[in-house]
């Protein structure tokens, strides 16, 4: 009986969590998302019940007092949607390779004691970005050379394009495809804190103009307003500071990872294109589609054997296209002889030296 075909998300090698049949992708710490939602919903619910509800009839023109309650509810839903979009989409995961890049493979020398050869890779390459050389590193886990500005997240176990950081409050990596929504979420949360703080202070003022003429009496009558003002003031230091920091990063076209890792190096920022262009890139540039189709079925592919480590296996791996350069250098007790027989039984004969095979 044939086994049912697997979908991509079912055989995913990263540590992500998938929901609704692979339609939503979260980080492995998705549970922390519930804490973030609670930190937003609970204060707003208290605000609606103990503050906004009492202001409904304070502004008689066209029942404007109801707008305070409606704005709080609608804007909170907007903030939660931004949080959900930032947390539930592919942040820009780079596809893994099924085997190392062949053009960069070479084998170390095989000694007379038949010590298996080992694979060698250049760990760093240089690519040109905006006319300047940029180093890119080889990822042993994903078996790819990371694109510029890409980094491997140790929490999600993926290479992510334009990696900014892994946010525990969002429960997801912040990268190329969800940074815009993350920034909008943080900045909108700051405005929500300001709104709740201001309206709570307004309610205290309304109480003082009525039956509670002193601040103490007004706060004693509405302790929820005092608690909300303290909570919003503390929260604003966090989300407001984060908003300001990311506005600086956007204006200079940096990521959090780059800022913390390279700020002391004094290297030029090859990605900075000016304030307006940098803000346009984050706010309005088209977001590229995901490089993964998580719900697609895994295609039947021919599995290539990994590069061999023994002499016999090396011959089988490289014999169709192998090239051998004879190198004879007699100097004292050093003798290197490499011979290739491309007929008969295709055996490899090695003299008392080292034979190097490059494909």
């Amino acid at each position: 009986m044939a086994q049912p075909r697997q979908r991509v998300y079912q055989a995913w090698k990263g540590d992500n969590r998938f929901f609704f049949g692979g339609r939503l992708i979260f980080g492995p710490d998705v549970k922390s998302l519930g804490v973030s939602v609670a930190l937003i919903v609970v204060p707003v619910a208290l605000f609606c019940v103990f503050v906004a509800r009492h202001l409904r009839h304070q502004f008689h023109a066209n029942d404007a007092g109801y707008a305070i309650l409606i704005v709080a509810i609608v804007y909170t839903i907007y903030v939660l949607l931004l949080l959900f979009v930032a947390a539930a989409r592919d942040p820009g995961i780079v596809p893994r390779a099924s085997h190392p890049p062949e053009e960069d493979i070479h084998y170390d020398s095989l000694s007379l004691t038949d010590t298996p050869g080992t694979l060698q890779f250049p760990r760093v390459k240089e690519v040109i970005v905006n006319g300047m050389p940029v180093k890119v590193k080889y990822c042993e886990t994903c078996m790819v050379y990371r694109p510029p500005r890409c980094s491997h997240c140790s929490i999600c176990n993926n290479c992510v394009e334009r990696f900014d950081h892994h946010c525990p409050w969002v429960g997801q990596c912040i990268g190329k495809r969800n940074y815009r929504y993350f920034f909008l979420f943080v900045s909108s949360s700051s405005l929500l804190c300001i709104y709740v703080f201001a309206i709570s202070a307004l309610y205290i003022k309304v109480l003082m103009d009525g039956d509670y003429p002193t601040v103490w009496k007004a706060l004693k009558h509405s302790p929820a307003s005092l608690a909300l003002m303290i909570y919003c003031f503390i929260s604003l230091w966090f989300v407001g500071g984060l908003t300001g920091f990311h506005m600086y990063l956007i204006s200079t076209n940096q990521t959090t990872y780059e800022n913390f890792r390279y700020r002391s190096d004094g290297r030029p920022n090859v990605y900075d294109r000016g304030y307006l262009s940098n803000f346009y890139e984050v706010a309005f540039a088209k977001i590229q589609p995901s490089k993964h189709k998580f719900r697609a079925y895994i295609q039947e592919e021919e599995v290539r054997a990994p590069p061999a480590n023994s002499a016999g296996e090396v011959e089988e791996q490289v014999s169709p296209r192998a090239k051998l350069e004879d190198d004879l250098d007699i100097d004292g007790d050093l003798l290197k002889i490499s011979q290739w027989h491309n007929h008969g039984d295709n055996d490899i004969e090695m003299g008392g030296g080292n034979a190097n095979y490059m494909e």
Side-chain angles (χ1 to χ4, degrees), residues 120-138:
Q120 300 293 325
F121 288 91
R123 296 305 178 197
V124 178
K125 278 186 172 184
E126 279 194 353
V127 297
I128 302 300
V129 177
N130 295 331
M132 299 186 66
V134 174
K135 292 182 178 180
V136 295
K137 295 182 179 180
Y138 176 76

PDB file of all heavy atoms in Angstrom, residues 120-138:
ATOM      1  N   GLN A 120      36.302  19.949   2.092  1.00  0.00           N
ATOM      2  CA  GLN A 120      36.734  21.280   2.473  1.00  0.00           C
ATOM      3  C   GLN A 120      35.882  22.306   1.736  1.00  0.00           C
ATOM      4  O   GLN A 120      35.630  22.175   0.540  1.00  0.00           O
ATOM      5  CB  GLN A 120      38.207  21.483   2.128  1.00  0.00           C
ATOM      6  CG  GLN A 120      39.152  20.511   2.825  1.00  0.00           C
ATOM      7  CD  GLN A 120      39.193  20.732   4.328  1.00  0.00           C
ATOM      8  OE1 GLN A 120      39.088  21.861   4.792  1.00  0.00           O
ATOM      9  NE2 GLN A 120      39.335  19.653   5.077  1.00  0.00           N
ATOM     10  N   PHE A 121      35.417  23.341   2.474  1.00  0.00           N
ATOM     11  CA  PHE A 121      34.625  24.406   1.890  1.00  0.00           C
ATOM     12  C   PHE A 121      35.216  25.752   2.262  1.00  0.00           C
ATOM     13  O   PHE A 121      35.655  25.943   3.396  1.00  0.00           O
ATOM     14  CB  PHE A 121      33.182  24.376   2.414  1.00  0.00           C
ATOM     15  CG  PHE A 121      32.367  23.241   1.894  1.00  0.00           C
ATOM     16  CD1 PHE A 121      32.315  22.042   2.579  1.00  0.00           C
ATOM     17  CD2 PHE A 121      31.645  23.380   0.732  1.00  0.00           C
ATOM     18  CE1 PHE A 121      31.561  20.997   2.102  1.00  0.00           C
ATOM     19  CE2 PHE A 121      30.887  22.340   0.247  1.00  0.00           C
ATOM     20  CZ  PHE A 121      30.846  21.144   0.930  1.00  0.00           C
ATOM     21  N   PRO A 122      35.213  26.679   1.339  1.00  0.00           N
ATOM     22  CA  PRO A 122      35.521  28.053   1.749  1.00  0.00           C
ATOM     23  C   PRO A 122      34.368  28.590   2.585  1.00  0.00           C
ATOM     24  O   PRO A 122      33.218  28.589   2.152  1.00  0.00           O
ATOM     25  CB  PRO A 122      35.643  28.801   0.414  1.00  0.00           C
ATOM     26  CG  PRO A 122      34.859  27.985  -0.558  1.00  0.00           C
ATOM     27  CD  PRO A 122      34.984  26.559  -0.111  1.00  0.00           C
ATOM     28  N   ARG A 123      34.655  28.996   3.796  1.00  0.00           N
ATOM     29  CA  ARG A 123      33.591  29.422   4.706  1.00  0.00           C
ATOM     30  C   ARG A 123      33.064  30.813   4.372  1.00  0.00           C
ATOM     31  O   ARG A 123      31.966  31.174   4.786  1.00  0.00           O
ATOM     32  CB  ARG A 123      34.110  29.406   6.149  1.00  0.00           C
ATOM     33  CG  ARG A 123      34.492  28.012   6.641  1.00  0.00           C
ATOM     34  CD  ARG A 123      33.331  27.068   6.486  1.00  0.00           C
ATOM     35  NE  ARG A 123      33.665  25.708   6.913  1.00  0.00           N
ATOM     36  CZ  ARG A 123      32.968  24.641   6.593  1.00  0.00           C
ATOM     37  NH1 ARG A 123      31.923  24.771   5.803  1.00  0.00           N
ATOM     38  NH2 ARG A 123      33.320  23.452   7.022  1.00  0.00           N
ATOM     39  N   VAL A 124      33.823  31.597   3.654  1.00  0.00           N
ATOM     40  CA  VAL A 124      33.427  32.961   3.352  1.00  0.00           C
ATOM     41  C   VAL A 124      33.648  33.233   1.875  1.00  0.00           C
ATOM     42  O   VAL A 124      34.658  32.801   1.299  1.00  0.00           O
ATOM     43  CB  VAL A 124      34.214  33.979   4.204  1.00  0.00           C
ATOM     44  CG1 VAL A 124      33.807  35.403   3.838  1.00  0.00           C
ATOM     45  CG2 VAL A 124      33.990  33.734   5.690  1.00  0.00           C
ATOM     46  N   LYS A 125      32.694  33.912   1.265  1.00  0.00           N
ATOM     47  CA  LYS A 125      32.834  34.378  -0.107  1.00  0.00           C
ATOM     48  C   LYS A 125      32.612  35.882  -0.144  1.00  0.00           C
ATOM     49  O   LYS A 125      32.079  36.465   0.799  1.00  0.00           O
ATOM     50  CB  LYS A 125      31.799  33.700  -1.022  1.00  0.00           C
ATOM     51  CG  LYS A 125      32.165  32.319  -1.501  1.00  0.00           C
ATOM     52  CD  LYS A 125      31.116  31.857  -2.495  1.00  0.00           C
ATOM     53  CE  LYS A 125      31.518  30.566  -3.153  1.00  0.00           C
ATOM     54  NZ  LYS A 125      30.534  30.162  -4.191  1.00  0.00           N
ATOM     55  N   GLU A 126      33.003  36.479  -1.235  1.00  0.00           N
ATOM     56  CA  GLU A 126      32.757  37.902  -1.436  1.00  0.00           C
ATOM     57  C   GLU A 126      31.824  38.095  -2.620  1.00  0.00           C
ATOM     58  O   GLU A 126      32.014  37.488  -3.669  1.00  0.00           O
ATOM     59  CB  GLU A 126      34.065  38.674  -1.665  1.00  0.00           C
ATOM     60  CG  GLU A 126      34.808  39.010  -0.397  1.00  0.00           C
ATOM     61  CD  GLU A 126      35.902  40.050  -0.616  1.00  0.00           C
ATOM     62  OE1 GLU A 126      36.149  40.400  -1.789  1.00  0.00           O
ATOM     63  OE2 GLU A 126      36.497  40.500   0.381  1.00  0.00           O
ATOM     64  N   VAL A 127      30.812  38.926  -2.414  1.00  0.00           N
ATOM     65  CA  VAL A 127      29.903  39.307  -3.494  1.00  0.00           C
ATOM     66  C   VAL A 127      29.886  40.829  -3.563  1.00  0.00           C
ATOM     67  O   VAL A 127      30.241  41.517  -2.601  1.00  0.00           O
ATOM     68  CB  VAL A 127      28.481  38.760  -3.261  1.00  0.00           C
ATOM     69  CG1 VAL A 127      28.474  37.240  -3.260  1.00  0.00           C
ATOM     70  CG2 VAL A 127      27.906  39.284  -1.951  1.00  0.00           C
ATOM     71  N   ILE A 128      29.480  41.346  -4.690  1.00  0.00           N
ATOM     72  CA  ILE A 128      29.454  42.797  -4.887  1.00  0.00           C
ATOM     73  C   ILE A 128      28.036  43.305  -4.666  1.00  0.00           C
ATOM     74  O   ILE A 128      27.083  42.850  -5.299  1.00  0.00           O
ATOM     75  CB  ILE A 128      29.949  43.171  -6.293  1.00  0.00           C
ATOM     76  CG1 ILE A 128      31.371  42.625  -6.504  1.00  0.00           C
ATOM     77  CG2 ILE A 128      29.928  44.684  -6.478  1.00  0.00           C
ATOM     78  CD1 ILE A 128      32.390  43.150  -5.525  1.00  0.00           C
ATOM     79  N   VAL A 129      27.888  44.258  -3.754  1.00  0.00           N
ATOM     80  CA  VAL A 129      26.603  44.897  -3.464  1.00  0.00           C
ATOM     81  C   VAL A 129      26.789  46.399  -3.612  1.00  0.00           C
ATOM     82  O   VAL A 129      27.613  47.006  -2.913  1.00  0.00           O
ATOM     83  CB  VAL A 129      26.112  44.563  -2.042  1.00  0.00           C
ATOM     84  CG1 VAL A 129      24.813  45.296  -1.748  1.00  0.00           C
ATOM     85  CG2 VAL A 129      25.924  43.067  -1.879  1.00  0.00           C
ATOM     86  N   ASN A 130      26.023  46.991  -4.528  1.00  0.00           N
ATOM     87  CA  ASN A 130      26.125  48.437  -4.780  1.00  0.00           C
ATOM     88  C   ASN A 130      27.564  48.873  -5.044  1.00  0.00           C
ATOM     89  O   ASN A 130      28.019  49.926  -4.579  1.00  0.00           O
ATOM     90  CB  ASN A 130      25.547  49.230  -3.603  1.00  0.00           C
ATOM     91  CG  ASN A 130      24.056  49.000  -3.431  1.00  0.00           C
ATOM     92  OD1 ASN A 130      23.344  48.720  -4.396  1.00  0.00           O
ATOM     93  ND2 ASN A 130      23.575  49.100  -2.203  1.00  0.00           N
ATOM     94  N   GLY A 131      28.282  48.010  -5.770  1.00  0.00           N
ATOM     95  CA  GLY A 131      29.645  48.342  -6.163  1.00  0.00           C
ATOM     96  C   GLY A 131      30.696  48.118  -5.096  1.00  0.00           C
ATOM     97  O   GLY A 131      31.868  48.458  -5.312  1.00  0.00           O
ATOM     98  N   MET A 132      30.321  47.526  -3.959  1.00  0.00           N
ATOM     99  CA  MET A 132      31.272  47.296  -2.884  1.00  0.00           C
ATOM    100  C   MET A 132      31.264  45.826  -2.491  1.00  0.00           C
ATOM    101  O   MET A 132      30.207  45.173  -2.524  1.00  0.00           O
ATOM    102  CB  MET A 132      30.946  48.173  -1.664  1.00  0.00           C
ATOM    103  CG  MET A 132      31.005  49.664  -1.943  1.00  0.00           C
ATOM    104  SD  MET A 132      30.779  50.652  -0.459  1.00  0.00           S
ATOM    105  CE  MET A 132      32.279  50.223   0.457  1.00  0.00           C
ATOM    106  N   PRO A 133      32.436  45.268  -2.122  1.00  0.00           N
ATOM    107  CA  PRO A 133      32.486  43.852  -1.739  1.00  0.00           C
ATOM    108  C   PRO A 133      31.855  43.611  -0.376  1.00  0.00           C
ATOM    109  O   PRO A 133      32.055  44.363   0.566  1.00  0.00           O
ATOM    110  CB  PRO A 133      33.997  43.552  -1.712  1.00  0.00           C
ATOM    111  CG  PRO A 133      34.638  44.868  -1.436  1.00  0.00           C
ATOM    112  CD  PRO A 133      33.775  45.906  -2.094  1.00  0.00           C
ATOM    113  N   VAL A 134      31.070  42.554  -0.305  1.00  0.00           N
ATOM    114  CA  VAL A 134      30.419  42.150   0.946  1.00  0.00           C
ATOM    115  C   VAL A 134      30.681  40.667   1.153  1.00  0.00           C
ATOM    116  O   VAL A 134      30.534  39.868   0.223  1.00  0.00           O
ATOM    117  CB  VAL A 134      28.900  42.427   0.905  1.00  0.00           C
ATOM    118  CG1 VAL A 134      28.217  41.875   2.143  1.00  0.00           C
ATOM    119  CG2 VAL A 134      28.635  43.915   0.779  1.00  0.00           C
ATOM    120  N   LYS A 135      31.061  40.292   2.358  1.00  0.00           N
ATOM    121  CA  LYS A 135      31.345  38.899   2.662  1.00  0.00           C
ATOM    122  C   LYS A 135      30.056  38.166   3.024  1.00  0.00           C
ATOM    123  O   LYS A 135      29.238  38.670   3.787  1.00  0.00           O
ATOM    124  CB  LYS A 135      32.335  38.796   3.815  1.00  0.00           C
ATOM    125  CG  LYS A 135      33.736  39.298   3.478  1.00  0.00           C
ATOM    126  CD  LYS A 135      34.682  39.127   4.654  1.00  0.00           C
ATOM    127  CE  LYS A 135      36.084  39.591   4.290  1.00  0.00           C
ATOM    128  NZ  LYS A 135      37.037  39.436   5.422  1.00  0.00           N
ATOM    129  N   VAL A 136      29.899  36.973   2.453  1.00  0.00           N
ATOM    130  CA  VAL A 136      28.777  36.103   2.804  1.00  0.00           C
ATOM    131  C   VAL A 136      29.344  34.792   3.323  1.00  0.00           C
ATOM    132  O   VAL A 136      30.394  34.325   2.868  1.00  0.00           O
ATOM    133  CB  VAL A 136      27.849  35.850   1.592  1.00  0.00           C
ATOM    134  CG1 VAL A 136      27.186  37.134   1.156  1.00  0.00           C
ATOM    135  CG2 VAL A 136      28.614  35.238   0.424  1.00  0.00           C
ATOM    136  N   LYS A 137      28.660  34.200   4.294  1.00  0.00           N
ATOM    137  CA  LYS A 137      29.166  33.013   4.961  1.00  0.00           C
ATOM    138  C   LYS A 137      28.383  31.770   4.538  1.00  0.00           C
ATOM    139  O   LYS A 137      27.221  31.840   4.170  1.00  0.00           O
ATOM    140  CB  LYS A 137      29.091  33.184   6.481  1.00  0.00           C
ATOM    141  CG  LYS A 137      29.987  34.287   7.012  1.00  0.00           C
ATOM    142  CD  LYS A 137      29.890  34.365   8.531  1.00  0.00           C
ATOM    143  CE  LYS A 137      30.812  35.453   9.077  1.00  0.00           C
ATOM    144  NZ  LYS A 137      30.729  35.547  10.549  1.00  0.00           N
ATOM    145  N   TYR A 138      29.074  30.640   4.642  1.00  0.00           N
ATOM    146  CA  TYR A 138      28.447  29.356   4.337  1.00  0.00           C
ATOM    147  C   TYR A 138      27.754  28.832   5.588  1.00  0.00           C
ATOM    148  O   TYR A 138      28.324  28.837   6.684  1.00  0.00           O
ATOM    149  CB  TYR A 138      29.494  28.357   3.864  1.00  0.00           C
ATOM    150  CG  TYR A 138      28.951  26.967   3.610  1.00  0.00           C
ATOM    151  CD1 TYR A 138      28.221  26.697   2.467  1.00  0.00           C
ATOM    152  CD2 TYR A 138      29.167  25.941   4.518  1.00  0.00           C
ATOM    153  CE1 TYR A 138      27.724  25.427   2.220  1.00  0.00           C
ATOM    154  CE2 TYR A 138      28.677  24.671   4.288  1.00  0.00           C
ATOM    155  CZ  TYR A 138      27.956  24.417   3.137  1.00  0.00           C
ATOM    156  OH  TYR A 138      27.458  23.165   2.912  1.00  0.00           O
TER     157      TYR A 138
END
